[in-house]
């Protein structure tokens, strides 16, 4: 889980904010050197988000538009 620390630091700092995938990818790797590196970062971030969702640490909010929309992710607070 290469980007787990970056994702948890970002999302836990703003627990009430919804994040798009692109925002998380840009935070994890702000200056990718190629499209291949950006795609690899995207896959790594997706793995971390799926794991955090399964663990119950984040909410995954699916797109209302279906195809063509985007999923939102939010840190789950324990209160």
């Amino acid at each position: 889980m290469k980007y787990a620390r970056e994702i948890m630091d970002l999302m836990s700092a703003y627990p009430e904010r919804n994040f798009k995938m692109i925002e998380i990818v840009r935070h994890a790797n702000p200056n990718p050197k190629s499209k291949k590196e950006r795609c690899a970062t995207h896959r790594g971030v997706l793995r971390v988000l799926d794991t955090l969702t399964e663990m119950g640490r984040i909410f995954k909010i699916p797109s209302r538009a279906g195809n063509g929309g985007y999923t939102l992710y939010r840190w789950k607070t324990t209160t």
Side-chain angles (χ1 to χ4, degrees), residues 60-71:
K60 184 175 181 180
I61 306 163
S63 169
R64 291 184 180 172
N67 290 342
Y70 48 85
T71 302

Side-chain angles (χ1 to χ4, degrees), residues 1-4 7 21-22 24-26 28-29 32 34-52 73:
M1 296 291 171
K2 186 173 181 179
Y3 302 108
I7 293 169
M21 172 65 81
I22 190 66
I24 300 168
V25 169
R26 286 181 182 153
N29 188 358
S34 65
K35 184 176 180 178
K36 184 177 178 180
E37 185 179 346
R38 189 186 71 214
C39 289
T41 303
H42 185 275
R43 284 191 305 271
V45 167
L46 187 59
R47 285 186 196 117
V48 173
L49 291 173
D50 287 342
T51 302
L52 289 172
Y73 299 91

Side-chain angles (χ1 to χ4, degrees), residues 3-14:
Y3 302 108
R5 176 58 45 202
E6 291 89 348
I7 293 169
M8 290 190 298
D9 288 345
L10 172 68
M11 294 185 77
S12 65
Y14 303 99

